[in-house]
Structures are given as structure tokens and as C-alpha cells.
Amino acid sequence: QVRLVEVGGGMVQPGGSLRLSCAASTSETLFNMLHMAWYRQAPGETRELVAQIYSDGTTDYVDSVKGRFIISRDNAKNRMYLQMHSMKPEDTAVYYCHASFLLDLYWGQGTQVTVSS
């Protein structure tokens, strides 16, 4: 079982930066094998994949955040991060931490990110 807790959401002005963290309550051995990702869901929209990081460190981003967001993980701390720069109002959403291993899927409770002047 993996429990995920996101922290770091809040309100930021357009053009600003914010960093989200996801802490995973599991063994370091299992965390190292997890495929991790950030999703987001805006009001009235479907949940979308924002960025993902594989156990080998390979990363992938949705086109709308490429060059602005950076996903990373610290396997020694069982944590994943999403550094967001040059934020736009359309980045406003609830951001969810996601983890998977084989057929097991895990979600965090979500954290609200609002980009507004």
C-alpha cells in the first residue's frame, strides 16, 4: 500500500512560480520502482496528465507545460516534486500526485493551485 500526500499548492500571480511536493509513505525499495506522475483537473474538465517520471528518471510532459514545469524525484526521501514557472491562468486546477506499480494505482488527495492577478 502506498499513501500519497501533496503539499505546496496555493495562489500565485501570472508569471510566478510554485513548487508542489508529493510524499509517499512506503518503503524506499518500492518507491524506487514506482512510476510517478502529476495530474491536474480544472473545473468542468477531465483530469489530465501533466508530467510523469519513470523509475529510471526519464521524464515526459504535456505540450502545454513543456519548458515551464520540471518534474523530479528524490528516491532517498520518497518524494516527488513539480516545479512550475511562468505560470498561466490556465494552469489553475487541482493537482494530484499519482503512483503506479504493475497493476496497483495510487492517488493523493489533491492540492489546489490558482493562478490569478
Side-chain angles (χ1 to χ4, degrees):
Q1 187 71 16
V2 179
R3 181 169 177 260
L4 304 173
V5 178
E6 305 99 334
V7 295
M11 180 174 287
V12 64
Q13 294 186 343
S17 298
L18 206 61
R19 190 174 88 149
L20 305 181
S21 298
C22 172
S25 298
T26 185
S27 70
E28 184 177 343
T29 300
L30 176 56
F31 184 83
N32 287 352
M33 295 187 290
L34 291 174
H35 172 251
M36 304 291 296
W38 289 98
Y39 284 75
R40 66 186 179 188
Q41 187 167 19
E45 302 289 334
T46 58
R47 192 172 296 188
E48 69 165 347
L49 175 63
V50 176
Q52 57 186 327
I53 184 165
Y54 295 84
S55 58
D56 66 356
T58 303
T59 60
D60 188 38
Y61 300 89
V62 66
D63 285 346
S64 60
V65 307
K66 284 182 179 177
R68 300 190 299 120
F69 290 11
I70 301 171
I71 187 172
S72 62
R73 63 192 294 165
D74 186 335
N75 289 342
K77 295 182 178 179
N78 285 13
R79 290 184 183 269
M80 175 181 65
Y81 305 96
L82 186 67
Q83 180 67 55
M84 302 181 287
H85 297 293
S86 302
M87 297 188 72
K88 304 175 182 180
E90 49 264 44
D91 294 322
T92 296
V94 177
Y95 283 70
Y96 296 91
C97 175
H98 177 267
S100 62
F101 179 67
L102 300 178
L103 298 180
D104 294 327
L105 307 178
Y106 307 96
W107 291 94
Q109 81 287 353
T111 185
Q112 177 69 45
V113 171
T114 302
V115 184
S116 175
S117 56

